[in-house]
Amino acid sequence: MGKIYRKLTVILFLCLLIYIKIQNETRQHFVEDQKRFYQRFSLNFPPKTSQSLEQWRHASTSCPLELLDDVASRWKPMVKLNPNRFLLPILKNGPNNQLSGLRDSIYISIRLNRTIVLPRFFKHRTDDAKEGTVYPRHRIDLQRLQKLIHYVTMDEFRNKSGGTIDAIFRVRPVSKPRYLYYERLTGINITDERSHLMKSVQLYPREELMADKRTLSIGSSRNELLDYYGSEKKYALFAQPFGNLKFSR
């Protein structure tokens, strides 16, 4: 019996050593992952001050996406745009169409030299929880976007514009109920007390370019875009673009 106990003791001891080794390796992998994560977001690792220590502790229990909220202040964009003129897209349809509309909006913002406003995104109409909006960082890589162009958030746009707009860029005729929808969506004043479009808001393009056209099809050249949307107005809303730009092959 004594030999059996000694063998069991040795086996248990070896199992304990293996367990300790696995724990140490797991802990080391965790530390390495944390190190790479913090280097990515330019945080101190290992923590050197009480503030960085608190940041380090917070990272182990928080979602890394939360740190992307202030990504607009971290990168110098490739394309510099006018910081005093803005383009606020209102997207439409499902997720893929919304991304297509954002792509066109970014292109036009570059051509017209306007800072893009991060728009609202929506779930697909077949989603059971389709009510409400989707955070932009859940649809696009904000870090990559900021490396391309500078953008502002919806809140920043409202603060800069005083909660209003002075131009609407149309791709199709826009009805009065649609203006009210834009107001509810953005929290920006577009209509007056009688639910009519405010007189200070200018519509683009001019009416002769909209005549008898259900949906515009616009060339991608800067001259043509200026013909449709050339404006000195600062705060422009881009009303539900999707598939309106024609790109030459």
Side-chain angles (χ1 to χ4, degrees):
M1 293 293 293
K3 291 183 178 180
I4 294 176
Y5 285 132
R6 284 195 295 272
K7 288 182 179 180
L8 287 175
T9 301
V10 171
I11 292 173
L12 290 174
F13 180 72
L14 291 175
C15 289
L16 179 61
L17 290 178
I18 293 172
Y19 173 77
I20 293 174
K21 182 179 180 181
I22 292 174
Q23 287 292 97
N24 288 337
E25 289 179 351
T26 302
R27 187 177 297 107
Q28 183 63 31
H29 288 317
F30 173 78
V31 171
E32 290 298 323
D33 288 342
Q34 290 292 322
K35 183 177 180 179
R36 286 192 294 269
F37 173 77
Y38 273 85
Q39 287 175 342
R40 178 183 177 188
F41 292 103
S42 303
L43 298 176
N44 291 326
F45 189 96
K48 297 178 180 179
T49 66
S50 58
Q51 181 179 4
S52 59
L53 177 61
E54 186 61 31
Q55 290 175 326
W56 187 83
R57 287 173 176 168
H58 176 70
S60 62
T61 58
S62 64
C63 174
L65 288 176
E66 296 299 328
L67 294 178
L68 293 177
D69 284 337
D70 65 344
V71 71
S73 64
R74 293 181 177 273
W75 304 97
K76 184 177 181 180
M78 182 186 307
V79 181
K80 294 182 179 179
L81 298 175
N82 190 332
N84 298 313
R85 292 185 185 175
F86 301 89
L87 185 68
L88 167 60
I90 302 294
L91 305 180
K92 62 176 294 185
N93 298 338
N96 288 334
N97 290 357
Q98 292 167 36
L99 291 174
S100 177
L102 176 63
R103 177 201 61 189
D104 290 356
S105 301
I106 291 173
Y107 179 84
I108 288 178
S109 74
I110 294 173
R111 284 297 203 177
L112 299 181
N113 193 20
R114 289 179 174 270
T115 296
I116 195 81
V117 182
L118 281 183
R120 303 290 192 197
F121 290 89
F122 314 97
K123 296 180 180 179
H124 196 273
R125 59 183 176 81
T126 59
D127 195 310
D128 292 335
K130 58 180 176 293
E131 296 298 328
T133 58
V134 178
Y135 289 117
R137 66 174 180 268
H138 293 163
R139 287 284 174 82
I140 56 177
D141 188 330
L142 296 183
Q143 178 178 320
R144 289 183 180 274
L145 178 61
Q146 178 57 25
K147 287 182 178 180
L148 174 64
I149 59 173
H150 180 64
Y151 63 80
V152 296
T153 65
M154 189 76 73
D155 287 339
E156 289 172 326
F157 176 75
R158 279 194 293 260
N159 290 335
K160 290 176 180 292
S161 67
T164 187
I165 59 170
D166 52 15
I168 294 180
F169 294 171
R170 301 173 294 174
V171 295
R172 60 183 57 79
V174 182
S175 63
K176 184 168 74 172
R178 189 64 61 177
Y179 292 134
L180 297 175
Y181 165 70
Y182 297 160
E183 279 191 323
R184 293 194 303 270
L185 182 65
T186 62
I188 292 172
N189 296 323
I190 300 175
T191 62
D192 58 23
E193 63 277 1
R194 295 187 298 173
S195 298
H196 295 155
L197 188 67
M198 295 174 64
K199 293 182 179 180
S200 59
V201 178
Q202 181 70 42
L203 293 176
Y204 295 86
R206 56 189 183 276
E207 291 303 325
E208 57 265 30
L209 292 177
M210 293 290 296
D212 301 323
K213 292 184 179 179
R214 184 175 180 181
T215 302
L216 293 180
S217 183
I218 309 168
S220 58
S221 70
R222 186 171 186 273
N223 287 338
E224 188 165 351
L225 289 174
L226 285 174
D227 193 30
Y228 278 83
Y229 302 126
S231 172
E232 299 294 321
K233 301 288 187 178
K234 290 185 176 182
Y235 309 109
L237 183 149
F238 195 19
Q240 297 184 298
F242 172 65
N244 304 101
L245 285 181
K246 297 182 298 183
F247 293 95
S248 58
R249 296 183 180 275

